Amino acid sequence: MSFFTRRRIRNASLLVLALAGIVWWVRAREQTLDSSALGTGYLLLAAVFFLASYNVRKKLPFLPLGGSTAWLQWHIYVGIGTVGVFALHARTAWPSGWLEALLAVTFYLTVGSGLVGLYLTRTIPPQLARVSDEITYERIPAFRRQVRRQAEEVVLESVAASGATTLADFYTARLYGFFAGARGWRYLVRPTSALRRALMREMQDVRRYLSEQEQIGCERLFTLVRRKDDLDFHDARQKVLKLWLFGHIGLTYALVLLAVLHGLLAHAFHGGVA
Amino acid sequence: MREPGPDYASRQYERPNQPWVCGLASDGQACPAGPTAGGACPALAECVPTRDGDRWMCNRSPLRGGVCAEGPSPEGGCGCVHRCRPVRSLRSIRGRFVTACTLLAAGVLTILLSADWRDRAISPGPLAQQHAQLLENETSPNPSLRGRGKCAECHSAAERSVAGWAGSLAGFHGGETGQSQRCMECHKSTISTEFALVAHNVAPQLLRQITASGVGPSSNHKRHELACATCHREHRGAQFDLVAMNDAACQSCHQQRYQSFSTDHPDFGVWPYERRTRIVFNHASHQAKHFAEKKQAFACRLCHVEDATQSVQLLASFENACALCHDEKIATSVAKGLPFISLPTIDVDALKTAGHDIGPWPEAATGDFDGRLPPMMKLLLAADQDAAQAMTALGADFDFLDVDPDDPVQLAACAKLAAAIRSLVADIGERGPVAVRERLSRALAPYVEEPEVSALMAGLSVSVMHEAANWFPGIDIGKEAWPRDVKSADLPARKTPQYDPAGTWFLDDVTLSIRYRPAAHADSVLTSWLKLLAATPNLELRPLVMATFRELSSPTAPGLCASCHSVERVAEGQMTINWRAYNRTTGPRSLTKFSHGPHLLLPQLSDCTSCHAINNSADTAAAYSEDNPHTFVSEFAPISKQQCAQCHTAKAAGESCQKCHNYHVDEIEAWRLGGWGRGEAEPPDARELGAR
């Protein structure tokens, strides 16, 4: 059993135990005619503040607040636990009040974006690792420019060596745009290797019209096309990894505001005190 | 972890945490220096050219690529100066996006909290249909609440600002009205405001009396108070059942645990035969004797009929259920008429011998002492101090036949009475209802009003009294009509009772009496006299009035009223006559409830005796010999809990507490308070203890 599996089992068990304890507490409160709503509400609010503080923690790396790995683990399991506490608190999937419905939607979207992020952070890194070496996201433009320059050098060298422009014409017509920059938003949403395969097929087709010198250059272009496609894949996937946080964190602060207002209202309009 | 790519050891130094990045970075040519903290491009050169004679030489470091192809400018400037328009880093954009989202949410909430429709927006959901008008109507149905916001009808917080709401976090409410008090502004007509927040709405001492263990307080109601919202959870939709409670809620106070009705619930004890019935009725003798003699089938449904809700069994009217047999007996009992005023036979000679001159006395009423004074006449005489003393001397239940002619004390009393009787006849004959009202007010202490007097002597004509006055020689009261009762008319009028037409008054010159023959069952005059006497306070301390009441309310008294309508003691020494059978639909709400309708649908329960089995050995008549309605032996066999438990299980008819019990009660059943029915003389007075 790997370390990660053991950790997952341990944390999941702790989460289940904690939720079972909360359920027991809620039932005990209800059986004494006490309302558990205030208790579960405070628990939820505390959980939301704790989850939001993960972002603050990342901005204050110099403080001795524990490692980011531990924080992430707490963030994930406390976040999942809030779904259970929310169910105990709201008792309905869809509150009928406007403000509470807005709060519920914000909560669902925040939790949903968190789960999406969890899925992305667990699936994208292996995909990237399978494709190529580790590439820093901020350096991808520089690498892309480097590949483009190498491709242009290859084409110019082949023209100079062979005196033919067949490869250069093909580059201008089909490969220039590919090497010129990043891919479009469709590729960001659903990256595929279709374009790379199409270009390679065309390069394969054009080989028979190339001179021997040009064919050597073409071989190098094959490598550069693959390299550029890998860079695009890294760019798209790493961008997704960064963009989902926009939604998650943006929703988190809106959720904090709504939850605080809801708590204020719950206290002020609470009718359970004699 | 995979190794960094071969190009990793680049000269470029990335700064993703900085708010600005070089504008050329997207093209892969970011300058090594990067933008300033303020987002300005420093436009730095890659080297500082050196001068070699008259030539400027490139001085770029080999680490940056060595001497550049462009070379310095003629003026000695570097040829590789990076200029760009810096752009925000992804992190900075995300920060601004998050700030924008937060501000947007704050703006939406600010608009929401300051808008006219704030109440609707912050409402956590629709109200139950019983309260729906509070939010839907523009004006409150409760006049005291008009002018407040919609939420303010129930929540004081709705009248405060957000800052005020924040204050509630610290428990500061500024002495505002609690929500439960707001509830009571509308519900005070059905629930006692004094005990609205107390368990079951009854005084805590009553609760402690019911159970030796008392109420086990849980954490939030240490003062034995429960807010309305503890059980009635609002804002859960129009169809939400506000009164539904689970058994666990009951068990939060009731320390004895009930897992199952059949195994844990105590037996019913005396329920539902908590007291004798208000209408005296012997089921056993009617079934075995009276109905049999009349060759009538003894069917429960002949007398017990369902109400409109089919929940309660009501008693059929006298006309439908009893008149066939009892009308004749009642008519016979009053055939001779009920004496209102009757002259006793006075031994005038004996009185004269003893030195008492009573003046002119009717010849027909002269002889040996004989005769009884009618109860009503005794009351009217009691207003006369001399007559009252005389009646006290003779005994509250005296008869002239028992007067000893040789006893000077009794003779003196008789002489006073004779004079008082003559004055009474003359007084009533002259002033009629005014005289009656004045005399009754003196005799009974509480003021008697003119409408009451009108009911007491309804139909009695002035001519009858004038003729009666003629019995006494020498009395001339004229032929004038009775004066109007001015004093009573000036007083604030009480509710005037409505009665059926009265019977007939007649003068009997043979017995020298004025008599009243009741019209029928429930005669207005007779019932008015009985009600007046029963309502007199401290009857026990007034032997003469009590004796009068006892005589009129005897089961064998004319009209036979008390033979069916039981007499019992109530608060403040007063008595009451149960003119009507108990009507559960209008009676006070108690802890136990039962609906006959669904039970009678079952074939095995359609026969009433399957639950209400008649106990033929019970002495029903003895149960009405006392004034305490709870000292009795039921003529029905006790109902066994197991009989109910056959169907009332969790999987069948249900066994939740609310199936049979009310939470809000108007009155605790007396048998729960202990003592009653167990030989104690006096019942605990639930009213004094605060139960409604």
Side-chain angles (χ1 to χ4, degrees), chain B residues 348-404:
Chain B
V348 178
D349 293 337
L351 291 178
K352 277 185 179 173
T353 306
H356 303 293
D357 182 9
I358 62 170
W361 187 258
E363 189 63 33
T366 303
D368 291 340
F369 286 110
D370 193 12
R372 278 178 72 85
L373 293 180
M376 304 165 188
M377 187 177 170
K378 279 185 187 174
L379 270 182
L380 295 169
L381 285 171
D384 186 324
Q385 196 171 3
D386 287 343
Q389 288 175 353
M391 287 189 286
T392 304
L394 292 170
D397 198 28
F398 76 96
D399 192 318
F400 278 95
L401 185 63
D402 300 327
V403 173
D404 181 359

Side-chain angles (χ1 to χ4, degrees), chain B residues 331-619:
Chain B
T332 304
S333 75
V334 296
K336 290 194 295 184
L338 183 69
F340 173 58
I341 289 176
S342 177
L343 299 190
T345 304
I346 300 291
D347 190 343
V348 178
D349 293 337
L351 291 178
K352 277 185 179 173
T353 306
H356 303 293
D357 182 9
I358 62 170
W361 187 258
E363 189 63 33
T366 303
D368 291 340
F369 286 110
D370 193 12
R372 278 178 72 85
L373 293 180
M376 304 165 188
M377 187 177 170
K378 279 185 187 174
L379 270 182
L380 295 169
L381 285 171
D384 186 324
Q385 196 171 3
D386 287 343
Q389 288 175 353
M391 287 189 286
T392 304
L394 292 170
D397 198 28
F398 76 96
D399 192 318
F400 278 95
L401 185 63
D402 300 327
V403 173
D404 181 359
D406 298 325
D407 184 342
V409 176
Q410 291 192 3
L411 289 176
C414 288
K416 285 180 183 176
L417 267 180
I421 289 169
R422 193 171 55 236
S423 296
L424 173 69
V425 173
D427 193 18
I428 297 178
E430 197 170 355
R431 298 193 298 147
V434 177
V436 171
R437 182 180 56 74
E438 286 178 359
R439 283 173 173 270
L440 287 178
S441 296
R442 279 202 297 273
L444 302 178
Y447 181 74
V448 180
E449 288 189 6
E450 187 271 338
E452 292 174 288
V453 174
S454 297
L456 296 174
M457 42 193 303
L460 177 61
S461 68
V462 65
S463 61
V464 169
M465 287 308 303
H466 285 172
E467 286 183 38
N470 291 335
W471 293 334
F472 296 94
I475 294 181
D476 182 11
I477 57 172
K479 300 291 182 186
E480 298 297 320
W482 285 329
R484 182 171 166 263
D485 194 348
V486 178
K487 182 181 178 186
S488 181
D490 290 344
L491 291 168
R494 292 183 202 159
K495 188 180 178 184
T496 308
Q498 300 294 319
Y499 291 112
D500 291 335
T504 54
W505 296 83
F506 61 95
L507 196 71
D508 185 355
D509 285 328
V510 176
T511 58
L512 294 184
S513 60
I514 298 171
R515 291 176 173 273
Y516 175 72
R517 184 180 294 122
H521 172 258
D523 177 77
S524 61
V525 173
L526 197 48
T527 52
S528 296
W529 279 99
L530 283 166
K531 283 181 185 174
L532 182 71
L533 288 169
T536 304
N538 302 319
L539 270 176
E540 296 285 356
L541 305 176
R542 308 160 104 172
L544 187 64
V545 182
M546 183 56 131
T548 309
F549 175 70
R550 291 287 186 206
E551 190 174 344
L552 273 179
S553 64
S554 162
T556 55
L560 306 177
C561 302
S563 66
C564 295
H565 299 282
S566 63
V567 179
E568 62 193 47
R569 192 169 60 249
V570 289
E572 297 173 356
Q574 292 176 315
M575 307 291 282
T576 189
I577 301 172
N578 294 305
W579 296 112
R580 296 185 183 279
Y582 178 61
N583 184 344
R584 191 149 58 88
T585 59
T586 56
R589 195 170 35 194
S590 63
L591 282 170
T592 309
K593 62 183 178 181
F594 182 82
S595 177
H596 282 87
H599 292 85
L600 292 173
L601 290 175
L602 300 174
Q604 66 269 32
L605 297 181
S606 59
D607 180 7
C608 303
T609 56
S610 58
C611 293
H612 303 288
I614 296 173
N615 177 11
N616 291 314
S617 63
D619 184 0

